[in-house]
Amino acid sequence: MREAVDEREAALFVGRRRELDRLTAALVPRPANARVFYVQGAPGVGKSALLRAYRRFAAGMGVAAVLLDGRVVEPTPPGVLRAIASYASVGPGAGDVPPSAASVMRALDGLATTAGLLLLVDAYEELLHCDRWLRSEVFGPLGPGVVLALAGRSRARDLWPADRAWRGQVEEVPLSDIPESEAHELLSRYGVAAEGLRRAAVSVAGGRPLLLGLAADALADGGGPVTPVPQGDGLGTLVLSFIERLLHPDSARRAWKADDDSPAGLCLAAASTLRTFDREVLGSMLEPSIVAQGWPVLAGLPVVRPSGGRFLMHEVAREQVCAAVRERRPWTVRRWRRLAIEHHLAAVASGRPTEVAEAQWAEITSLATECLWHTWLYPESEAAVRWCFERGASAVDLPQLVHCREETLARTFGVGRGGLDLVPAEVSALLAAYPEGFVLARGETGDVLGYVVAVPLLHATRTALMGEPATAAYLRWLGDGALGAMEGRLLTVGQMGLRDPADELYFALFREVFKELVHYRQIVVLTALPAAECFAPLVGGARVPGFEVLLPGRHLPNRAYRIDVAGIGYARWLENLVAPPGLAPVPVDKRVAAAREALEALHEPSRLRDCAVARHCAAVLGDGGPRRVRAWVLDALDGGRFSCAFGADLLRRYYVEREAPHEALAEALHLSRRTYFRHLHQSLADLGDLLFR
């Protein structure tokens, strides 16, 4: 199948002779030193197609070629090593440990020595979280016989603004649209034989290969001419116009819009909010019947392709569709992302193979960062129903605390029995030294579901903290005198344990323990989770060079990540992360008034600027303008669930459409005035909960 796909791609590849000649000249004869090319171009210009052509040319010359897709590879060092190892025939590490960088580099050196090596990395901007590691640990050691080709949108000087030495080694290959003659040839290879149709398609798509491919697909069986789209409308309109034709060939609409409620339209909209997707995750976001009808259409679109066991939407199409969906359905987008996060959390907790679990964590990180972490934390009013937080712990709680810690270490970090044997003494020492530092989460039965403990570094707590393996290893690594220098300063060591590490209680406990801490200047996170390589940079962190220790019973080494928050302090940093300024929860008893205020202001945009919902949107979406607030309210009204079957319709008819006064609507709905107003109040309460969720 791979060979058949390669043959088809080769048959459809047009032009780029000059770019291919540059690569050929670099490969033959083999370079005495590694050479680095960077293919730079706009979305849809053909960067991925060129890299795949590079791979075919290299294979034809007997040169080993390894192609990584940054949109699929987990953006962490272990993820990159696994991806390279799968191509370079490197055996896995012991158990679930990823192959080491040394073993991967030895394999690459072997390929380069034997046949020459072409290492290709597509969508490099997706791997920027580990860019420094890649350049120092993977690209840096590459030696003779190796050609490295990266591809991305940004210019090299924007991608590596501070590293002139690296940029000096990079040979930039700018990519632009193909000329008109090659555009006609490409359309011919796509099967568009009529010259008139080709001219019409080129007038719409210009020389952008992606758009030309969409235009060819829009010409059903060589049918009627392509309706020209004015060039001034830009790339977004062009892409959405073609997508509308692909989804709905008989549609009279000029371009696809986010109000498309067809099964295929909803699947497309939901998929655009995800980095990668499959039928299973869409099934967690949409009704099963919608996915059953829409999935075959979505998976068959030319802008969607399988990759790494999942599916990927072309970056141009995804950006344009997602932008339209965010504009029209902001509330639904956030609900979809929360459902997707919950789906991935469940997948991680289900005990899948390590590489699958790490891919799920990469998706969670991507989603949670895009939609802001606080959006899937339970508000305190909801959390109180599920958990009861309790300050302080006693010896009676010790067995359950130990169990929570063991579950966290075993299920999240894969710690073996050798490491778990130390847990009882470790937790007992912390409990004896500083019981008031514990925050417990109890369930309805009174059992401890999880805990967080924060212990200040004092002379009295020093022995207990040195019994915590990761902390002790880090403090010893800092060198002699570090403990004495730190004692008496504002420094706290934290630890967490959860009966179910994948539960959302994790984030509620995080907020509960840290929200009261005084201001800190720096955070140091000690963890063995590979996902930290991806997550730490997203919250302003960086790897602490030189610290790496393998603790007893562990499969993966602990590393340290430092986050400097000297400008705002730890408490404010965390508060901004889990609850950005202006997102103070609206009390339940005030949500009815807030919902009514927003509905009444829909017809007076100036009033929408200062309402409670506008302040919420400003914090959640970064935009509290009237247009965005209106979209938020109407989307929640259309997509939310109401206690009363006609609740949304009742609010829409009275507040949005202004159909009739209350008395007339009550009569039209065949309700007594008392029943009508009871339903109205409940529907406003439901809408208030939806707007501030």
Side-chain angles (χ1 to χ4, degrees), residues 13-212:
F13 188 79
V14 170
R16 307 301 189 194
R17 191 70 259 167
R18 182 176 56 184
E19 291 83 0
L20 290 172
D21 287 343
R22 286 187 67 179
L23 179 80
T24 304
L27 288 173
V28 181
R30 291 187 196 176
N33 298 300
R35 293 185 63 178
V36 184
F37 292 92
Y38 177 62
V39 179
Q40 183 273 327
V45 79
K47 300 183 295 294
S48 299
L50 181 61
L51 258 60
R52 292 194 293 272
Y54 279 172
R55 182 180 61 183
R56 290 192 299 272
F57 271 74
M61 292 186 291
V63 175
V66 176
L67 173 59
L68 305 181
D69 189 338
R71 292 160 294 195
V72 177
V73 174
E74 179 195 342
T76 67
V80 173
L81 291 175
R82 282 198 180 93
I84 297 176
S86 66
Y87 285 97
S89 301
V90 179
D96 290 326
V97 180
S100 66
S103 64
V104 169
M105 295 312 299
R106 282 196 299 270
L108 293 181
D109 285 342
L111 291 174
T113 302
T114 304
L117 173 65
L118 174 63
L119 179 58
L120 305 133
V121 185
D122 196 7
Y124 188 74
E125 59 270 4
E126 297 291 338
L127 299 177
L128 287 181
H129 298 312
C130 52
D131 168 62
R132 288 185 180 276
W133 174 84
L134 275 168
R135 288 188 284 125
S136 65
E137 302 298 324
V138 179
F139 303 157
L142 294 174
V146 179
V147 173
L148 171 65
L150 313 176
R153 303 182 188 184
S154 304
R155 294 175 300 181
R157 68 185 184 191
D158 296 326
L159 206 56
W160 303 289
D163 198 335
R164 290 181 175 272
W166 167 257
R167 292 207 320 266
Q169 302 298 314
V170 175
E171 301 177 47
E172 199 156 359
V173 182
L175 216 57
S176 57
D177 290 345
I178 60 177
E180 184 175 344
S181 60
E182 292 179 357
H184 278 270
E185 182 181 350
L186 180 60
L187 288 169
S188 296
R189 296 189 184 190
Y190 275 127
V192 182
E195 185 179 351
L197 292 179
R198 292 201 303 271
R199 281 200 303 270
V202 172
S203 71
V204 172
R208 188 66 52 92
L210 172 70
L211 298 182
L212 290 165

Side-chain angles (χ1 to χ4, degrees), residues 500-565:
D500 179 4
D503 197 281
E504 288 182 333
L505 174 60
Y506 172 91
F507 300 96
L509 274 170
F510 223 85
R511 174 180 58 195
E512 190 68 22
V513 72
F514 289 130
K515 68 181 181 181
E516 297 176 6
L517 290 182
V518 291
H519 291 255
Y520 280 70
R521 299 179 62 82
Q522 191 178 92
I523 311 162
V524 176
V525 180
L526 305 176
T527 181
L529 275 181
E533 292 281 1
C534 176
F535 173 70
L538 299 176
V539 293
R543 171 95 175 269
V544 177
F547 177 75
E548 184 172 306
V549 59
L550 188 64
L551 299 175
R554 309 288 176 95
H555 297 301
L556 297 172
N558 263 57
R559 297 186 174 103
Y561 302 86
R562 183 181 292 119
I563 304 170
D564 290 309
V565 289

Side-chain angles (χ1 to χ4, degrees), residues 387-692:
W387 313 294
C388 175
F389 292 115
E390 181 179 300
R391 175 75 61 177
S394 68
V396 176
D397 302 311
L398 181 59
Q400 294 190 65
L401 298 178
V402 169
H403 175 67
C404 289
R405 182 61 177 167
E406 288 177 340
E407 286 296 297
T408 298
L409 290 174
R411 295 173 59 182
T412 302
F413 299 94
V415 176
R417 176 47 56 187
L420 298 182
D421 288 343
L422 305 175
V423 170
E426 174 189 327
V427 178
S428 178
L430 293 175
L431 183 60
Y434 207 71
E436 61 268 38
F438 282 77
V439 174
L440 310 184
R442 295 191 185 274
E444 295 178 354
T445 62
D447 291 337
V448 177
L449 303 179
Y451 76 91
V452 176
V453 56
V455 182
L457 179 57
L458 308 171
H459 183 72
T461 63
R462 177 173 178 170
T463 301
L465 292 177
M466 290 302 290
E468 205 281 325
T471 302
Y474 183 73
L475 293 177
R476 291 193 189 99
W477 175 80
L478 289 177
D480 296 334
L483 276 175
M486 289 181 178
E487 285 177 4
R489 291 169 54 190
L490 195 59
L491 187 144
T492 294
V493 175
Q495 183 193 85
M496 177 180 288
L498 285 170
R499 179 174 295 183
D500 179 4
D503 197 281
E504 288 182 333
L505 174 60
Y506 172 91
F507 300 96
L509 274 170
F510 223 85
R511 174 180 58 195
E512 190 68 22
V513 72
F514 289 130
K515 68 181 181 181
E516 297 176 6
L517 290 182
V518 291
H519 291 255
Y520 280 70
R521 299 179 62 82
Q522 191 178 92
I523 311 162
V524 176
V525 180
L526 305 176
T527 181
L529 275 181
E533 292 281 1
C534 176
F535 173 70
L538 299 176
V539 293
R543 171 95 175 269
V544 177
F547 177 75
E548 184 172 306
V549 59
L550 188 64
L551 299 175
R554 309 288 176 95
H555 297 301
L556 297 172
N558 263 57
R559 297 186 174 103
Y561 302 86
R562 183 181 292 119
I563 304 170
D564 290 309
V565 289
I568 58 174
Y570 191 8
R572 178 60 59 83
W573 170 84
L574 191 71
E575 179 185 344
N576 291 348
L577 182 66
V578 300
L583 197 64
V586 176
V588 175
D589 60 341
K590 294 185 178 181
R591 293 183 184 180
V592 170
R596 181 187 293 113
E597 176 189 32
L599 287 170
E600 290 175 344
L602 288 177
H603 297 280
E604 299 178 47
S606 60
R607 290 180 58 192
L608 281 176
R609 294 183 183 278
D610 301 318
C611 66
V613 177
R615 292 191 291 274
H616 180 77
C617 285
V620 169
L621 305 176
D623 180 1
R627 181 175 178 179
R628 182 52 59 91
V629 176
R630 178 181 176 84
W632 180 265
V633 173
L634 294 179
D635 190 27
L637 197 59
D638 291 340
R641 294 186 178 181
F642 288 78
S643 304
C644 172
F646 54 83
D649 184 56
L650 172 59
L651 296 180
R652 191 180 296 104
R653 292 172 70 174
Y654 180 76
Y655 289 103
V656 181
E657 299 172 4
R658 295 186 171 183
E659 182 179 311
H662 288 304
E663 293 77 6
L665 274 180
E667 184 176 347
L669 294 170
H670 307 291
L671 299 173
S672 67
R673 292 187 60 185
R674 181 175 181 179
T675 302
Y676 170 86
F677 281 107
R678 186 176 73 248
H679 283 309
L680 178 67
H681 186 276
Q682 181 59 53
S683 299
L684 286 170
D686 292 339
L687 180 62
D689 289 340
L690 294 170
L691 292 174
F692 295 100

